[in-house]
Amino acid sequence: MISPLHKFLAPDAIAIIGASADPTKRGYQAMNGLINDGYSGAIYPVNPKTDTILGIKTYPDVASIPDTADLALICTPAGSVPDLLDACGAKGVKGAVILASGFGEAGAAGKQLEAEVLAASERSGVRVVGPNTSGMFNLHKKVNLLALGNVIPGDIGIISQSGNMLLALALEAENNGHIGFSTYVGPGNQTDVGFADYLRYLGEEQNTRVATFYVEGFKDGRKFLDVASETARAKPVVVYKSGSTRAGQKAASSHTGSLAGSYRMTVDLLRQAGVSVVEKSDEILPVAEGLGLLQKASGKRVAILADGGGQATIASDRLSEAGLRLAKISDETRTALRAILFPQASLVNPIDVAGSSDANLPLLAECMEILARDPQVDMVFLVGMFGGYALRFASELADDEGKTAELIAGLARRTPKPLIVYSLYAPVKPSPLAILRRAGIPVYDSIEHAVQVMAALGERGHYLEQSAATDYPAPVQTVPAMQELFRTAQRQRRDLFEFEAKQLLKTYGVAIPPQRVVRSDTEIEDAVGEFGEQPLVMKVVSKDILHKSDAGGVRLNLSGAQALENARKEILENCKRYKADAEIEGVLVSPMARKGIEVIIGVSQDPIFGPVMMFGLGGIFVEILKDVAFRAIPFSRQDARSMIDQIKARKILEGARGEAAVDKEALIDLLLKVSTLVQAHPEISELDLNPVIAYADGYAVVDARVIVKPADI
Amino acid sequence: MISPLHKFLAPDAIAIIGASADPTKRGYQAMNGLINDGYSGAIYPVNPKTDTILGIKTYPDVASIPDTADLALICTPAGSVPDLLDACGAKGVKGAVILASGFGEAGAAGKQLEAEVLAASERSGVRVVGPNTSGMFNLHKKVNLLALGNVIPGDIGIISQSGNMLLALALEAENNGHIGFSTYVGPGNQTDVGFADYLRYLGEEQNTRVATFYVEGFKDGRKFLDVASETARAKPVVVYKSGSTRAGQKAASSHTGSLAGSYRMTVDLLRQAGVSVVEKSDEILPVAEGLGLLQKASGKRVAILADGGGQATIASDRLSEAGLRLAKISDETRTALRAILFPQASLVNPIDVAGSSDANLPLLAECMEILARDPQVDMVFLVGMFGGYALRFASELADDEGKTAELIAGLARRTPKPLIVYSLYAPVKPSPLAILRRAGIPVYDSIEHAVQVMAALGERGHYLEQSAATDYPAPVQTVPAMQELFRTAQRQRRDLFEFEAKQLLKTYGVAIPPQRVVRSDTEIEDAVGEFGEQPLVMKVVSKDILHKSDAGGVRLNLSGAQALENARKEILENCKRYKADAEIEGVLVSPMARKGIEVIIGVSQDPIFGPVMMFGLGGIFVEILKDVAFRAIPFSRQDARSMIDQIKARKILEGARGEAAVDKEALIDLLLKVSTLVQAHPEISELDLNPVIAYADGYAVVDARVIVKPADI
C-alpha cells in the first residue's frame, strides 16, 4: 500500500496561504526558509494585499495560482480553513498543513469548526495535517516549513505531538553534530491524518531509516499497531509514550486533550507490534540514532572492550539490567587476544587491555576485529578513553589515534555486527570520534544511553527473527449455537451465566471441569449420580448477583446428597436476603479443583486498542503488585509465551519452592484458544477467567465471566 | 574530630620523589602542573641523577631536603616504597601519595610488599594514599598532581576508585563549563587511608560542599556508614556504588579486587546513613552539582512552570516515578497567577503559561516568585525554552531574556527554596542560562537528570528533618542467664535450640507464644494441663536437625493427650529415620498461631557492614520477588518504620483485599527489640524469625533460629 502522504509531504510546489511580509509571522518565516534553503520547487504566496513578498509574485486567492500546488501551508485563522480547503481542492492541491488553533481543543464552537474541516477535507480530497500543528519539514526536499535553523538532513523521521519536543531533539542533534532528520510532522489534532498514516508514510519514505514518535495519546491505537507490525519488519519504529503516571496523564490530557490509556498496556502492545519503546525522554534521540545507523543485532550477547576499569564495570551492570548478556568469549578468541595483549590484560568479558594499547593504539581496532569475528558475540562495545589519547597523553599520538579510528571504521564497513562506542571524550568531540561517527558507528557520552541502544538493537533482532516464523492460531468458525447463546443473553439484557461462559469456552476447545446446573432438589440426585462422592462446589446462578461470594452464594467442599441439599437451601436463602428481587436460575455444581497455582486471564475491549488480553498470577500479584502482561488480540504462539515469561513472578510458574513447574504449553494453548474465541464472538465486551488453576498437567478454569455487549450497539 | 588528612591533602610543601625531566613521566607532569598552576608552596624534587628539573633544584634523597614537606608524591617503583616512607617519616612528612602498582592486587609477593608499606606507614607516621592510585588534586590549593587539564576549582569533592571515572567526570564538567572540583583522591588499595577517612576529610574541608564517591567495593563499610551519618548532617554525600548485578560484581572484583557485597543491601544502608545514592553513572555529576549548589529541599512538593506542553508532561511522569509530588498550588497562588497570565494558561500544576510570556519574558520570573512564595511548594522547576527565546524567535528578545535571567537569579538569592531549570537550549549554552548558573541555579539538558536532582534534594531534606529527632532505642543490659545460654551452646558446639532462642527473645521483651519442651510421655500431661484443648503444634528439638519439616519433625493441629503422644512417637521415629545418629533433646509444644500475614526478620553479621537486619514478607516475597529491606544495627524507630514502608508489597500489611491492616507499631517495636538484643549479644552470628505472623493486634513469632559464633572467635 502506497501512502497518499507522499504526494504532499515531498511537494514539488507549495502554496503559502496567508503569506506575509512581516518577519514575525509564520507566513513570512516559512517562505524565507524555503528560499534560503534553496527549495527547488515553485512557491505560490497567497495574499490579497500585496504583489510580491521576498521578491516572489503573490496571488490574491488560491484560485488565481497559475498552476497546481502539491501542498498548501495555511497560516490564516481557524474560521477561514473550511472554505480554503474547498478552494485548494478545486486547484488540485493534495494536502494542507493547518497551523491555526481554535478547533477541537477549544470548546464546543471549535469542535464544530473541526468537524467542518474534516467534511471539507473529505469533500475536496485535500488531506489535512493538523490543525493546531507546529508544521512539518522534509529536509531532503529542502522543505522546512518550521524555518528551524541548524537542522541537517539525515535518516531520522519524527512525528511529535509536542512542537517543543521536536525543538529539544533538534537542539540535541545540533549539539551532537552528526544527527540529521528526514521528515518531521506535528500531527496536531489529527483530524484527518493520524499517527498510523504518518507511520506508513515514514515506513515507505526512502530517506527515513528510523521512524520516531513522541506520543501523548493515540486516537486509533489499533491502526497504529497494525501499521507498526508491518513497518517494523522493514525499519525500526521508536515510540516514546508519555503518561506513564497518573500525574503525567493528567498533564498530557490538559495539553493535547488525548485519552492516555493504561501506560503499561500501551507499552506491551507497542512492543508486541515490534516497536522499540523508549521510556526516558533523554533516550529518544540516542536510541533513534543508534537504530537508524545499525538497524538491529543478531542477538543480545555483547563483548565489552575497555582500556580501564570503572566504566567496564558500570557497563557490565547496565547490560545485565537491560536484559543483555556479556558474551562468553570463545577459546579461539581468547587465544587470539592473548597473542597481542599484555599478560595482565583481562581476557574474560569485559576485556580490559590493561595498558596494552597505550603505546599501540591500532591494537584496539585489532581487538575489535577479533571480537567481531567470534560467533558468540552479537555486538562489540568499545568503552573508555578512545578519542582522547592524544588530548590526555601526548599530541604525538594523534596520528595513531586517527589511523585507529579509520581501522575501526573499516571494520564497521565489513562486519554486520553493530559496533558501539562510549568515550569519556565524547563531550569534547575530538576528531577520531568524528571519523567513527561518519563511518556509521554511534558514539555516546553516557554508558546508560549506549546500553539502551544495544538493548533496542538486540530486541529488534529478536523481533525480526521471531516475526519471520510467527505462528498465529487459525481463526475459528463461529458456532451458531453459541451465537444463539449471546442473542438470548442480549434479549434478556444480561451477561452470560457462568455455566454458559464455560459452555462457550468448551465449545472452542478449552478444557472445562464437568458442571451441572441444578434447579430443583430432584436434580441434586442427578448431580450425585454424575459426580459421586468427590468434594463439590456449589455456586448460585443468577443474572442479578455479580459477587457470588459476597451474597453467600458459594459453598465449598460438599459431598453427598444431603450436604448438597442443605447447601442449596442456604444459598437460596442467603441470596434472597442479599437481594430480595434477585431472579435465581439455580445453582451450579462442579467438582472442587485440585490445588495449584492461580492465574488470571482477562479480555477487554480497549477504546483505543480494541480487544486486549491480560495475563497474570492471581490475587495479590494482580491486585497489589500489578504484575500483569498485555497482548493485543490476535496474537501468535510466541506472543502468548512471551506474555507468560514477562511476569515478574514467573519463577512461581516455573516451579519455585520445591513445587513442580506448571504446564506452560497448556497455558499457552489456553491463551490462544481464548483469543480465537473472542475474535469469533465480537459480542463479547469482557471476558474473565479468574482464577484458572495451573497444574503440572493442564489447568482448571474455576470461574468464568463473560460480559455481553448490548444488542443495540 | 579533626581529620589528620588536612595536614597533607592541602600541603604547603611537596616532595616529588622520582621527579623527572622526561615529559612522559608522572614525576615531570606533576611538577610541571604545580608550576603552571602557580602553586605557592615549596616544591622539592628528589632525583639523585640531576641538579635541576624545570628550573628547580633537585635533591639526591629525601634526607637532603632542606626543610620538611607536608606531602610526598612517590613516583618510584613499588619495591622502593617502604624505605622511602621511613625516610619521609624522619623528615616530618605527613602523608605520601604512592602511584606504583604491584602491591596487593598483584599476587602474593605484592601482598607481602603491601604489608611492609602498612608497617612502614605505622612506624614512620606517614599516612599513605594508595598505593596503586591515580593520584590526587586540591584545586583551591593549586595542587594538581594528576596534571589534569581544564578542571576548575569548585565545590565538588570526589573520591573515585577508578581514575577513568574521575576523568569522565572532569570532561563532563569541562563540557558543562560551570562545574568545578575541590579535592580529588584516588584511594587505590586503601592500605592505610580508606573511604571513611576521605569522607571525614571532605566533610571538614571548607571548599567542599558535596562529597562524591565512586565505589567498587568498601573495605570497612561500617566505618563509612558511621562517618557518613555524621557528615551527611552537615553536607551532602553522594555515592555511586558499582556492582548492582552479578556481571558488574565480577568485573569490579577483577578490576580492584574488591568484595562487592549485596548491592541492594549496600544501597539501603547508605541511605540509612543519609547518603544520596545515585544508581546511574550519568547521574553522578548532575546530582553532585545540584546538591552542591542547593543542599536540600524542605519537602518533595514540586511546582512545574512550563512554556509548552510536552516537557511538562514528561516532567510530571518522572517526578511521580521518583517519589516526588506535584505540589497542590494554593488558591492564593492561583489567583496571583491568573492575574498575570493569559486566560488559556493552565493553572493546575504543571503550570503552563500558554504563550503569556512570549512577548513578556519577565513574566516567567514573576511566576517563579509567586510559586516560590507558596507554602505548599518546596521546589520550583522551570521547564521549557527559557534561554532560547532570542535564538528561536527574534534577537530583539535578548535584552528581555537576559533581564529575566537576572530576575530569576535575584529570586534564587532571596528564596531558600531550590530553583531548578530544564531548558531545551541547555545543549547550546546561551548566555541567559549562564546567568542562572552563576547565581547557583543548576540548568539541565535532561528532564530525567533534573528530576534525579530534585529527588536527591527532597530525600536529603527528609533525612535532615528526621535525623534532627531520631529516636534510637536505649541499649539493653546483657542478662547473665542469657549469656550463660550462649556459653552452654558454644561449649556444646551447637546453635541455640528454638525454645532457647524464643527464651532469649522473651527475656528482651519480645512477645513469645507459650511453649513447653516435652522430653517424655509424662510431660505430655503437663502440656495438656497447660494448653488445654486448643490446637497445638509439635516440633523436634535437636541440634542435629536443621530442617525440621524435611525430617518429618513437625506436626500441626494436635489436640488432646493421645494426639500429642502419637505425634511425639511419629516425630521421634521420623527423625531417627532421617538421621540415625541425631541427638534428640525432645519436642517443643506450642499453641497453633492464628492465621495472619507472614513476615520475616533476619539478622546477619555482614563482613563489610557488621550487624544488619533484613525485613520482608514471607515466602515468595523474599525468595522470588526479593522484596526485602535492610538496615544496619543499631537503627532508629524512624528507620524501623521506613524499613517496613519500603517493601513493595507493603499494601498487604496495610490491609489489602478486605483484610485488616497489621499492627505496624508492634512490628516496629519487634524490630527495635531484636536490634537491641543483637547488640547485647555479640555471640549471635545469625538470627532468623521466620515466620513471624503479623496481626491487627500484635504478632506471633512462630519460628526462631539463632546461630551462635564459635567460642574461639
Side-chain angles (χ1 to χ4, degrees):
Chain A
M1 186 171 144
I2 301 298
S3 164
L5 278 57
H6 295 282
K7 295 187 191 132
F8 58 91
L9 290 181
D12 287 323
I14 303 176
I16 311 281
I17 303 176
S20 168
D22 175 350
T24 70
K25 301 284 189 197
R26 285 293 292 275
Y28 172 93
Q29 292 161 358
M31 269 189 72
N32 192 41
L34 289 170
I35 296 166
N36 286 345
D37 292 348
Y39 173 59
S40 61
I43 305 174
Y44 301 116
V46 176
N47 182 329
K49 296 183 199 150
T50 175
D51 291 337
T52 64
I53 293 175
L54 285 161
I56 298 182
K57 174 177 163 42
T58 61
Y59 301 89
D61 50 35
V62 175
S64 321
I65 295 176
D67 201 345
T68 186
D70 300 320
L71 178 69
L73 175 68
I74 301 183
C75 309
T76 53
S80 66
V81 172
D83 287 350
L84 284 170
L85 286 177
D86 282 324
C88 285
K91 208 65 198 172
V93 172
K94 312 292 188 308
V97 173
I98 304 173
L99 299 181
S101 57
F103 292 92
E105 79 287 1
K111 274 207 177 63
Q112 171 59 30
L113 190 57
E114 187 164 331
E116 287 171 30
V117 167
L118 183 58
S121 163
E122 284 168 356
R123 192 163 62 223
S124 64
V126 180
R127 304 302 304 266
V128 166
V129 174
N132 191 20
T133 168
S134 54
M136 61 79 62
F137 65 58
N138 177 340
L139 299 183
H140 293 277
K141 195 81 186 175
K142 298 185 177 171
V143 173
N144 181 347
L145 298 184
L146 284 86
L148 199 63
N150 303 320
V151 280
I152 56 175
D155 56 21
I156 300 179
I158 176 150
I159 310 297
S160 170
Q161 220 167 355
S162 155
N164 270 7
M165 199 64 215
L166 169 74
L167 193 52
L169 298 175
L171 288 158
E172 213 182 313
E174 179 185 342
N175 184 46
N176 173 288
H178 297 280
I179 300 176
F181 300 96
S182 53
T183 295
Y184 162 75
V185 184
N189 293 9
Q190 304 184 65
T191 308
D192 171 25
V193 186
F195 278 126
D197 305 304
Y198 294 117
L199 176 54
R200 183 176 300 285
Y201 167 76
L202 291 179
E204 293 169 354
E205 206 273 316
Q206 290 192 3
N207 292 308
T208 300
R209 279 170 58 86
V210 54
T212 308
F213 289 76
Y214 170 79
V215 178
E216 304 221 327
F218 288 104
K219 270 184 147 175
D220 185 346
R222 172 57 62 132
K223 193 170 156 198
F224 189 84
L225 296 180
D226 289 344
V227 180
S229 48
E230 257 179 63
T231 306
R233 288 170 200 230
K235 61 180 79 165
V237 179
V238 174
V239 172
Y240 177 95
K241 170 70 178 64
S242 67
S244 62
T245 64
R246 198 178 293 254
Q249 286 172 8
K250 274 173 68 177
S253 111
S254 84
H255 174 219
T256 59
S258 300
L259 203 57
S262 149
Y263 178 74
R264 294 300 349 152
M265 182 185 82
T266 305
V267 169
D268 276 0
L269 304 190
L270 289 170
R271 290 197 168 132
Q272 179 188 353
V275 169
S276 305
V277 178
V278 168
E279 302 214 49
K280 300 279 160 65
S281 68
D282 60 6
E283 291 167 359
I284 299 174
L285 200 65
V287 169
E289 181 201 16
L291 283 172
L293 292 173
L294 301 167
Q295 297 287 313
K296 62 161 180 154
S298 54
K300 300 185 175 182
R301 300 165 303 175
V302 178
I304 298 178
L305 179 68
D307 54 4
Q311 282 86 1
T313 301
I314 295 168
S316 305
D317 278 332
R318 286 304 99 70
L319 283 173
S320 302
E321 289 165 1
L324 296 164
R325 285 197 300 281
L326 284 177
K328 279 198 118 182
I329 305 299
S330 71
D331 290 344
E332 205 181 334
T333 298
R334 210 183 317 276
T335 308
L337 291 172
R338 188 173 294 123
I340 58 173
L341 294 177
F342 288 173
Q344 67 266 35
S346 168
L347 301 183
V348 178
N349 196 3
I351 311 293
D352 185 344
V353 299
S356 312
S357 59
D358 286 2
N360 179 10
L361 278 168
L363 205 63
L364 287 177
E366 218 176 317
C367 290
M368 289 180 82
E369 177 110 40
I370 291 167
L371 290 168
R373 264 204 310 262
D374 191 324
Q376 304 188 62
V377 169
D378 298 311
M379 296 177 251
V380 180
F381 185 25
L382 178 65
V383 165
M385 291 184 49
F386 187 75
Y389 279 86
L391 293 170
R392 174 75 183 123
F393 297 120
S395 52
E396 298 78 48
L397 291 172
D399 279 358
D400 246 20
E401 200 162 15
K403 191 178 127 203
T404 304
E406 295 291 0
L407 288 171
I408 299 173
L411 171 61
R413 281 186 286 272
R414 288 194 311 277
T415 178
K417 297 184 182 176
L419 311 180
I420 296 100
V421 174
Y422 160 79
S423 170
L424 281 63
Y425 282 85
V428 297
K429 306 190 182 70
S431 63
L433 298 182
I435 293 173
L436 296 184
R437 183 50 175 73
R438 279 199 297 273
I441 302 170
V443 177
Y444 296 100
D445 60 3
S446 152
I447 294 171
E448 278 75 12
H449 290 179
V451 167
Q452 287 306 315
V453 171
M454 290 187 280
L457 290 166
E459 281 300 332
R460 187 166 151 70
H462 178 72
Y463 172 79
L464 290 174
E465 190 186 19
Q466 201 170 75
S467 66
T470 321
D471 178 8
Y472 278 89
V476 292
Q477 282 285 331
T478 308
V479 175
M482 293 299 107
Q483 229 159 0
E484 195 44 49
L485 213 61
F486 280 98
R487 282 204 204 103
T488 306
Q490 283 172 331
R491 266 197 310 273
Q492 299 179 2
R493 294 171 188 280
R494 61 168 173 86
D495 300 316
L496 297 193
F497 292 128
E498 180 182 341
F499 73 89
E500 292 175 326
K502 287 182 173 170
Q503 188 57 43
L504 175 75
L505 289 160
K506 191 177 171 189
T507 304
Y508 291 99
V510 173
I512 288 296
Q515 56 176 358
R516 204 168 242 281
V517 180
V518 169
R519 293 180 174 85
S520 68
D521 271 359
T522 56
E523 289 181 24
I524 282 189
E525 298 298 328
D526 303 336
V528 173
E530 178 172 350
F531 297 127
E533 290 297 303
Q534 62 180 313
L536 302 175
V537 58
M538 183 184 282
K539 304 188 229 178
V540 67
V541 178
S542 164
K543 72 175 174 59
D544 299 319
I545 295 176
L546 285 181
H547 302 287
K548 297 185 280 261
S549 293
D550 293 359
V554 180
R555 281 288 175 276
L556 304 174
N557 261 319
L558 307 169
S559 189
Q562 191 57 52
L564 287 174
E565 273 173 38
N566 293 346
R568 180 163 167 271
K569 202 177 297 173
E570 276 177 52
I571 284 178
L572 296 181
E573 282 170 12
N574 287 343
C575 290
K576 274 289 163 213
R577 210 172 308 127
Y578 182 75
K579 197 165 186 195
D581 62 346
E583 251 179 61
I584 293 173
E585 180 77 15
V587 294
L588 183 66
V589 177
S590 203
M592 293 283 290
R594 281 178 289 150
K595 283 210 184 303
I597 293 169
E598 285 191 13
V599 302
I600 293 182
I601 295 167
V603 174
S604 62
Q605 297 287 344
D606 186 81
I608 299 169
F609 291 107
V612 172
M613 184 179 287
M614 185 205 82
F615 172 81
L617 265 69
I620 50 155
F621 290 97
V622 168
E623 291 170 31
I624 295 180
L625 302 175
K626 316 281 184 212
D627 184 14
V628 295
F630 299 89
R631 293 292 180 277
I633 293 173
F635 50 74
S636 68
R637 178 164 288 273
Q638 289 86 347
D639 291 326
R641 186 182 303 279
S642 74
M643 176 156 43
I644 296 173
D645 289 343
Q646 180 185 324
I647 298 295
K648 290 192 199 75
R650 70 179 167 282
K651 281 189 190 161
I652 294 174
L653 297 172
E654 289 165 354
R657 313 185 80 206
E659 310 266 338
V662 306
D663 185 345
K664 203 185 271 185
E665 299 309 314
L667 277 185
I668 290 171
D669 199 57
L670 172 60
L671 298 175
L672 290 170
K673 288 214 164 98
V674 172
S675 76
T676 53
L677 175 170
V678 167
Q679 286 182 278
H681 286 286
E683 306 92 338
I684 296 175
S685 154
E686 276 180 51
L687 177 153
D688 277 298
L689 311 186
N690 180 8
V692 173
I693 305 190
Y695 302 118
D697 54 330
Y699 57 82
V701 177
V702 170
D703 202 351
R705 206 168 62 105
V706 171
I707 308 290
V708 179
K709 287 183 196 159
D712 45 345
I713 289 184
Chain B
M1 185 172 145
I2 302 297
S3 164
L5 276 57
H6 295 283
K7 295 187 191 133
F8 58 91
L9 290 182
D12 287 322
I14 302 175
I16 312 282
I17 303 176
S20 168
D22 175 350
T24 69
K25 302 281 188 200
R26 284 293 292 274
Y28 172 93
Q29 292 160 0
M31 270 189 72
N32 193 41
L34 289 170
I35 295 165
N36 286 345
D37 292 347
Y39 173 61
S40 63
I43 304 173
Y44 301 116
V46 176
N47 181 329
K49 296 187 197 146
T50 175
D51 291 337
T52 64
I53 293 175
L54 286 161
I56 298 182
K57 176 178 159 48
T58 62
Y59 301 88
D61 49 36
V62 176
S64 322
I65 294 175
D67 200 344
T68 186
D70 299 320
L71 178 69
L73 174 68
I74 301 184
C75 310
T76 52
S80 67
V81 172
D83 287 349
L84 284 171
L85 287 177
D86 282 324
C88 285
K91 207 67 199 171
V93 171
K94 311 292 187 308
V97 173
I98 303 172
L99 300 181
S101 57
F103 293 90
E105 80 287 358
K111 275 208 177 60
Q112 170 58 28
L113 189 57
E114 188 164 330
E116 287 170 30
V117 167
L118 183 58
S121 164
E122 285 167 355
R123 191 164 62 224
S124 64
V126 180
R127 302 301 303 266
V128 166
V129 173
N132 189 21
T133 168
S134 54
M136 62 78 64
F137 65 57
N138 177 340
L139 298 183
H140 293 276
K141 195 82 187 173
K142 298 186 178 172
V143 174
N144 181 347
L145 298 184
L146 284 87
L148 199 61
N150 303 321
V151 282
I152 57 175
D155 56 20
I156 300 178
I158 176 149
I159 310 296
S160 170
Q161 220 166 354
S162 153
N164 270 6
M165 199 63 215
L166 168 75
L167 192 53
L169 297 174
L171 288 159
E172 213 182 312
E174 178 184 343
N175 185 46
N176 173 289
H178 298 280
I179 300 175
F181 301 95
S182 53
T183 295
Y184 161 76
V185 185
N189 292 8
Q190 303 185 67
T191 309
D192 170 26
V193 185
F195 278 124
D197 304 304
Y198 294 117
L199 176 55
R200 183 175 300 287
Y201 167 76
L202 290 179
E204 293 168 356
E205 206 274 316
Q206 291 192 1
N207 293 307
T208 300
R209 279 172 56 87
V210 53
T212 308
F213 289 76
Y214 170 80
V215 178
E216 304 222 327
F218 288 104
K219 270 183 148 175
D220 185 346
R222 172 57 64 134
K223 192 170 159 198
F224 189 85
L225 296 180
D226 289 345
V227 179
S229 49
E230 258 179 63
T231 307
R233 286 169 201 234
K235 60 178 82 164
V237 179
V238 174
V239 172
Y240 177 95
K241 170 69 177 65
S242 68
S244 62
T245 65
R246 197 178 291 254
Q249 286 173 6
K250 274 174 68 179
S253 112
S254 84
H255 175 218
T256 59
S258 300
L259 203 57
S262 149
Y263 178 74
R264 293 302 347 153
M265 181 184 84
T266 305
V267 169
D268 277 0
L269 303 190
L270 288 170
R271 291 198 168 130
Q272 178 189 355
V275 170
S276 304
V277 179
V278 169
E279 302 215 49
K280 298 280 160 65
S281 67
D282 60 6
E283 291 166 359
I284 299 173
L285 199 65
V287 169
E289 180 201 17
L291 283 173
L293 292 173
L294 302 166
Q295 296 288 312
K296 64 159 177 154
S298 54
K300 300 186 177 182
R301 300 164 303 175
V302 178
I304 298 178
L305 179 68
D307 54 5
Q311 282 86 2
T313 302
I314 295 169
S316 305
D317 279 331
R318 286 304 98 71
L319 284 173
S320 303
E321 290 164 359
L324 297 163
R325 285 196 300 282
L326 283 178
K328 277 197 121 185
I329 305 299
S330 72
D331 289 343
E332 205 181 333
T333 298
R334 211 183 314 277
T335 307
L337 290 173
R338 189 174 293 125
I340 57 172
L341 294 178
F342 289 172
Q344 67 267 34
S346 168
L347 301 182
V348 179
N349 195 4
I351 311 291
D352 186 345
V353 299
S356 312
S357 60
D358 286 2
N360 180 10
L361 278 168
L363 204 64
L364 287 177
E366 220 176 314
C367 290
M368 289 180 82
E369 178 109 39
I370 292 168
L371 290 168
R373 265 203 311 263
D374 191 324
Q376 305 189 64
V377 169
D378 299 310
M379 296 176 252
V380 180
F381 185 26
L382 177 65
V383 166
M385 290 183 50
F386 186 75
Y389 279 86
L391 292 171
R392 173 76 183 124
F393 297 121
S395 52
E396 297 78 49
L397 291 171
D399 278 359
D400 246 21
E401 199 162 14
K403 193 179 123 202
T404 306
E406 295 291 359
L407 289 171
I408 298 173
L411 171 63
R413 281 185 286 270
R414 289 194 310 278
T415 177
K417 296 184 183 175
L419 312 180
I420 297 101
V421 175
Y422 160 79
S423 171
L424 282 62
Y425 282 85
V428 298
K429 306 189 182 68
S431 63
L433 297 182
I435 294 172
L436 297 184
R437 185 48 175 76
R438 279 198 299 271
I441 302 170
V443 177
Y444 297 100
D445 61 2
S446 152
I447 295 171
E448 278 75 12
H449 290 178
V451 167
Q452 287 306 314
V453 170
M454 290 188 279
L457 290 166
E459 280 299 331
R460 187 166 152 70
H462 177 73
Y463 172 79
L464 290 174
E465 191 187 19
Q466 199 170 76
S467 66
T470 320
D471 178 10
Y472 278 89
V476 291
Q477 282 285 333
T478 307
V479 175
M482 292 298 108
Q483 228 160 2
E484 194 45 47
L485 212 61
F486 280 99
R487 281 203 206 104
T488 306
Q490 284 171 331
R491 266 198 308 276
Q492 297 178 3
R493 294 172 188 281
R494 62 169 173 85
D495 300 316
L496 296 193
F497 292 128
E498 180 182 340
F499 72 89
E500 292 175 325
K502 287 183 173 170
Q503 188 57 44
L504 174 76
L505 289 161
K506 192 177 173 188
T507 304
Y508 291 99
V510 173
I512 287 296
Q515 56 175 358
R516 202 167 243 281
V517 180
V518 171
R519 292 182 174 83
S520 68
D521 271 358
T522 57
E523 289 181 22
I524 282 188
E525 297 301 327
D526 303 338
V528 172
E530 176 172 352
F531 297 128
E533 289 298 302
Q534 64 180 311
L536 301 174
V537 56
M538 181 184 283
K539 303 189 230 178
V540 68
V541 178
S542 164
K543 73 176 174 60
D544 298 320
I545 295 176
L546 286 182
H547 302 287
K548 297 186 279 261
S549 293
D550 294 357
V554 181
R555 280 290 174 275
L556 303 175
N557 262 319
L558 307 168
S559 188
Q562 190 56 51
L564 288 174
E565 273 173 39
N566 293 346
R568 178 162 170 271
K569 200 178 298 171
E570 274 176 52
I571 285 178
L572 297 182
E573 281 168 13
N574 287 343
C575 290
K576 274 289 165 214
R577 212 173 308 127
Y578 181 76
K579 200 167 184 194
D581 62 346
E583 250 179 61
I584 293 173
E585 181 79 12
V587 293
L588 182 67
V589 177
S590 203
M592 290 286 289
R594 281 178 290 149
K595 282 210 185 304
I597 293 170
E598 287 192 13
V599 303
I600 294 184
I601 294 167
V603 174
S604 62
Q605 297 287 344
D606 186 80
I608 300 170
F609 291 105
V612 173
M613 184 180 288
M614 185 204 83
F615 173 80
L617 264 69
I620 50 155
F621 291 97
V622 168
E623 291 170 31
I624 294 180
L625 302 174
K626 317 281 185 214
D627 184 16
V628 295
F630 299 91
R631 292 295 180 274
I633 294 173
F635 50 76
S636 69
R637 180 164 287 274
Q638 289 86 344
D639 291 326
R641 185 182 303 278
S642 74
M643 176 155 44
I644 296 172
D645 289 343
Q646 180 185 325
I647 297 296
K648 289 192 200 77
R650 69 180 168 282
K651 282 189 188 161
I652 294 174
L653 298 172
E654 288 165 356
R657 313 185 81 207
E659 310 266 339
V662 306
D663 185 346
K664 205 186 268 186
E665 299 309 314
L667 277 186
I668 290 171
D669 199 59
L670 172 60
L671 297 175
L672 290 169
K673 288 211 164 101
V674 172
S675 76
T676 52
L677 174 170
V678 167
Q679 286 182 278
H681 286 287
E683 307 91 336
I684 296 175
S685 153
E686 276 179 51
L687 177 152
D688 277 297
L689 310 186
N690 181 7
V692 173
I693 304 189
Y695 303 117
D697 54 329
Y699 56 81
V701 176
V702 170
D703 202 352
R705 207 169 62 105
V706 171
I707 308 290
V708 179
K709 285 184 197 161
D712 45 345
I713 289 184

